[in-house]
Amino acid sequence: MKIKKIMALKVLVVLALALGFTGCSKKGSTKGGSTATGWKINDKKGGFQFNDKFKQQETPPGMISVEGGTFTMGKVQDDVMHDWNNSPNQQHVQSFFMDETEVTNKMYSEYLFWVKTVFPPTEENYKHIYNGAIPDTLVWRNRLGYNETMTNNYLRHPAYADYPVVGVNWIQAVEFSKWRTDRVNENILEREGYLKKDNKIKLGSDVTAENSFSTETYINTPSKTFGGNEEVVLKKEMGGGRRPAADTAKNVYAQRSSGLILPEYRLPTEAEWEYAATALVGNREYNIYKGQKKYPWSGQYTRSSKRQYRGDQLANFKQGKGDYGGIAGWSDDGADITNKVKSYAPNDFGLYDMAGNVAEWVQDVYRPMVDDEANDFNYFRGNVYTKNKIGEDGVVELVTSDNITYDTLSNGRIMARNFPGQIAQVPVDENETYLRTQFSTSDNRNYRDGDRQSTRYYKFTDSEEGAGEEKHRMYEAPKHSITADSLGKMDKKFDKSDKRTTLVDDNVRVYKGGSWRDRAYWLDPASRRFFPQDMATDYIGFRCAMSKVGPKSNKKTPRGNPKK
């Protein structure tokens, strides 16, 4: 009897303690639910859907992760040019991805194949799309040099497949990056069951000019992707199921919250490119850099000191007058023009050819000075903000074969500004800029360096009238113009004024790194030059970058002295 009473007493004590702990708990129960509302997330019956199992951003094809950090931008070892255009300034770059190598002829040829197949140049509406994407192979020609072999073969011949593409202007490089964004995301969504299997392979049948994939179109209005073809754009079950839904589909598409869609491919900013090329991470100890690099590799010389490769050049550049590759039978750098990518050792980030081979386009509009007083985080000059164009029906307006916008460049080349299937863009207006402190206009290319507030002629009491007069321009660059009539006949007007004092304007872009045509001085990552964005050369190529979302680093090791 006593035993029963003791047992009953123990049970009561346990229950009392349990109730006490439950009543005094300071943390609400959110098991399987939202920490905001307690509602269940990813319920198959409906409600809020979110990818709670996301771990980290997928590494894009062909890219290397570059962990961001601080560095001194513009610090050159020598300044024999006396350009005064790269004053040292401290900057911080956010983590990003960058192409392991320069974009090759094979990679660019894949782009041309897709464009030619989807937008046949034999059709009147599309003839300028393909022709505008083709590199200028005539850049190899020289008045006093025989280079017809490269003119005819460099882009297409398999012998040059893994050589960096050249003859590509800045605008073409940007268009390639947009195309690459769509093709990579299209592949990911097909892999995850959101798009019809093997649809992208059937070019010319399932994929046509009015029936192609655009990342931004899919995100904003997925039902209009591929021309609204529901047999290609598949719906998924709620709850994150990996297989395409059957008859019980709940009209769910992949979104940014799915964690599958990658950010856009783009050209690296000047700060990103210089940071990645310098790769001071190899000189890091604790939170300081031990020494400064003159080149992307350690040391003050261009030749290798390693026993196996001692005396070999570490990059492809011009050795001296008339010496592009050394004496026959034993070449200093193994190349007379460009060289196959990965022919030289990578830098400490694992990036190849960040010095030599070809110089590379970056995003930035050129100005002689980097305005670190205005910003020292992810510095970039060239922002032109746009937004999606909304039609009369309140839905985003897509580009079609009837409303493609073409631009006639200063050299007469005609290029498509956008492709059918993409969302039309318009400049941001006062609805987005009103009472904002960080930007006030759509076009910010000449902010604090060429706009009315920064010109030496400004007067705050003046009215806006006359602010754009020629005599008040900060930079006196030539003003060429070219127009075309309905028959395609060009009317070219060359600016013959003798009052022009510079080539700098809002349409010149920075390019970085030395090339096969350059002396060793230009191999310094901090060196900078500029070139018109609509012109191309035989020594400027490019590589792509992509912003990294999420943490700065995926490393789980404690902060401090890195492991040797």
Side-chain angles (χ1 to χ4, degrees):
M1 193 71 177
K2 288 183 179 180
I3 294 176
K4 288 182 178 180
K5 287 182 178 180
I6 293 172
M7 290 298 293
L9 185 61
K10 287 183 177 181
V11 170
L12 290 171
V13 171
V14 171
L15 287 173
L17 289 172
L19 290 171
F21 283 127
T22 302
C24 296
S25 176
K26 294 182 180 179
K27 184 178 181 181
S29 176
T30 58
K31 186 176 181 180
S34 164
T35 53
T37 62
W39 289 27
K40 188 174 181 181
I41 298 177
N42 295 328
D43 193 332
K44 290 186 177 181
K45 297 178 182 179
F48 180 56
Q49 306 293 311
F50 196 82
N51 184 5
D52 282 332
K53 296 181 180 179
F54 179 83
K55 293 184 179 179
Q56 64 184 45
Q57 181 179 351
E58 178 178 338
T59 300
M63 289 194 153
I64 295 289
S65 177
V66 178
E67 183 179 343
T70 183
F71 80 115
T72 302
M73 182 177 176
K75 191 173 184 179
V76 292
Q77 184 82 7
D78 306 297
D79 190 17
V80 296
M81 301 296 294
H82 297 287
D83 282 340
W84 298 99
N85 71 348
N86 49 3
S87 301
N89 62 94
Q90 195 76 6
Q91 294 286 336
H92 189 98
V93 174
Q94 199 171 11
S95 296
F96 61 100
F97 292 95
M98 182 175 254
D99 272 338
E100 188 178 20
T101 70
E102 294 137 338
V103 171
T104 63
N105 286 317
K106 184 194 295 183
M107 294 167 66
Y108 202 88
S109 293
E110 184 180 3
Y111 166 54
L112 294 177
F113 167 77
W114 188 93
V115 171
K116 187 175 184 178
T117 306
V118 176
F119 305 106
T122 53
E123 296 187 21
E124 184 66 24
N125 284 348
Y126 308 130
K127 65 179 182 180
H128 294 304
I129 294 181
Y130 177 70
N131 293 334
I134 299 176
D136 182 4
T137 58
L138 300 184
V139 294
W140 290 105
R141 285 183 172 171
N142 187 288
R143 294 181 182 87
L144 296 176
Y146 182 76
N147 300 323
E148 289 304 290
T149 301
M150 280 84 79
T151 299
N152 297 325
N153 294 282
Y154 185 81
L155 175 64
R156 306 288 188 180
H157 199 286
Y160 295 114
D162 293 322
Y163 283 54
V165 68
V166 296
V168 175
N169 63 40
W170 182 90
I171 300 173
Q172 289 174 315
V174 169
E175 290 302 318
F176 172 88
S177 303
K178 293 178 183 177
W179 168 84
R180 191 176 176 188
T181 301
D182 292 338
R183 302 291 75 76
V184 170
N185 281 323
E186 184 179 12
N187 187 57
I188 291 173
L189 293 177
E190 180 188 299
R191 182 191 70 196
E192 298 298 323
Y194 285 95
L195 297 178
K196 179 183 176 182
K197 198 74 172 176
D198 296 331
N199 182 73
K200 65 181 185 299
I201 296 175
K202 300 176 182 179
L203 296 180
S205 55
D206 289 357
V207 181
T208 62
E210 302 293 344
N211 186 18
S212 60
F213 177 85
S214 165
T215 300
E216 289 301 317
T217 300
Y218 182 86
I219 291 173
N220 287 275
T221 175
S223 61
K224 289 188 177 183
T225 310
F226 286 105
N229 190 344
E230 294 186 357
E231 294 183 0
V232 178
V233 184
L234 307 175
K235 303 169 184 177
K236 300 269 287 189
E237 292 178 343
M238 289 187 175
R242 291 181 62 83
R243 296 182 179 179
D247 296 335
T248 58
K250 298 295 191 303
N251 196 28
V252 176
Y253 303 93
Q255 292 295 310
R256 293 202 190 276
S257 58
S258 304
L260 299 173
I261 298 174
L262 293 177
E264 70 278 3
Y265 281 82
R266 54 177 175 78
L267 293 180
T269 65
E270 181 180 3
E272 286 175 335
W273 194 97
E274 187 173 327
Y275 174 81
T278 308
L280 285 172
V281 66
N283 291 3
R284 174 181 177 269
E285 184 171 346
Y286 293 98
N287 202 35
I288 60 171
Y289 293 129
K290 297 188 67 176
Q292 186 77 16
K293 287 184 176 179
K294 181 176 182 179
Y295 302 112
W297 53 83
S298 297
Q300 301 297 308
Y301 305 100
T302 62
R303 295 183 183 273
S304 174
S305 60
K306 294 182 179 179
R307 180 172 298 179
Q308 186 176 358
Y309 305 103
R310 183 169 294 170
D312 288 350
Q313 292 287 4
L314 295 170
N316 177 17
F317 65 101
K318 185 177 179 180
Q319 314 296 308
K321 182 175 176 58
D323 185 1
Y324 290 85
I327 301 172
W330 188 83
S331 295
D332 282 346
D333 57 29
D336 40 25
I337 54 169
T338 57
N339 202 354
K340 188 176 181 180
V341 296
K342 295 188 177 182
S343 294
Y344 310 94
N347 68 5
D348 288 326
F349 277 130
L351 302 169
Y352 292 87
D353 292 321
M354 296 302 285
N357 219 13
V358 292
E360 300 177 18
W361 289 115
V362 296
Q363 277 201 71
D364 295 57
V365 168
Y366 176 81
R367 287 295 185 269
M369 296 186 68
V370 171
D371 189 1
D372 60 319
E373 292 183 1
N375 184 43
D376 59 3
F377 179 75
N378 283 351
Y379 184 89
F380 167 64
R381 178 180 290 280
N383 282 314
V384 179
Y385 298 117
T386 61
K387 61 180 180 179
N388 296 337
K389 185 177 182 180
I390 306 299
E392 295 180 356
D393 57 356
V395 181
V396 291
E397 185 174 305
L398 300 186
V399 177
T400 66
S401 58
D402 297 325
N403 63 5
I404 304 176
T405 301
Y406 291 100
D407 292 321
T408 302
L409 308 185
S410 61
N411 56 9
R413 179 185 283 261
I414 300 176
M415 291 189 62
R417 187 183 303 175
N418 39 38
F419 290 173
Q422 296 177 345
I423 299 176
Q425 298 292 304
V426 295
V428 298
D429 53 29
E430 60 181 8
N431 292 327
E432 286 77 29
T433 62
Y434 182 63
L435 290 183
R436 288 189 182 275
T437 57
Q438 70 273 38
F439 73 101
S440 57
T441 61
S442 173
D443 189 344
N444 298 274
R445 287 177 295 179
N446 66 348
Y447 176 68
R448 284 170 58 101
D449 196 7
D451 61 351
R452 185 165 181 262
Q453 284 70 32
S454 61
T455 178
R456 57 191 174 127
Y457 296 104
Y458 75 86
K459 290 183 180 179
F460 289 118
T461 57
D462 281 358
S463 65
E464 290 297 324
E465 296 180 4
E469 293 180 10
E470 287 290 307
K471 66 179 182 179
H472 289 172
R473 290 200 301 144
M474 184 75 144
Y475 295 101
E476 287 293 341
K479 302 285 288 186
H480 308 307
S481 65
I482 184 168
T483 56
D485 59 22
S486 58
L487 298 178
K489 185 179 179 180
M490 297 289 180
D491 181 19
K492 302 177 182 179
K493 294 182 180 179
F494 185 81
D495 187 350
K496 298 181 180 180
S497 172
D498 59 359
K499 297 181 180 179
R500 304 309 183 201
T501 58
T502 180
L503 294 175
V504 176
D505 60 22
D506 287 344
N507 296 310
V508 295
R509 301 284 171 166
V510 178
Y511 68 95
K512 301 281 282 184
S515 73
W516 65 276
R517 280 192 176 276
D518 294 316
R519 299 292 185 94
Y521 167 78
W522 296 107
L523 302 184
D524 190 326
S527 64
R528 59 198 303 255
R529 289 172 284 180
F530 65 91
F531 204 71
Q533 66 181 24
D534 54 6
M535 295 178 65
T537 74
D538 62 353
Y539 59 87
I540 301 180
F542 71 102
R543 74 180 73 210
C544 296
M546 178 185 291
S547 298
K548 185 177 183 182
V549 296
K552 175 184 175 183
S553 171
N554 295 325
K555 298 176 183 177
K556 295 183 178 180
T557 55
R559 293 292 163 189
N561 192 20
K563 295 181 179 179
K564 300 293 184 182

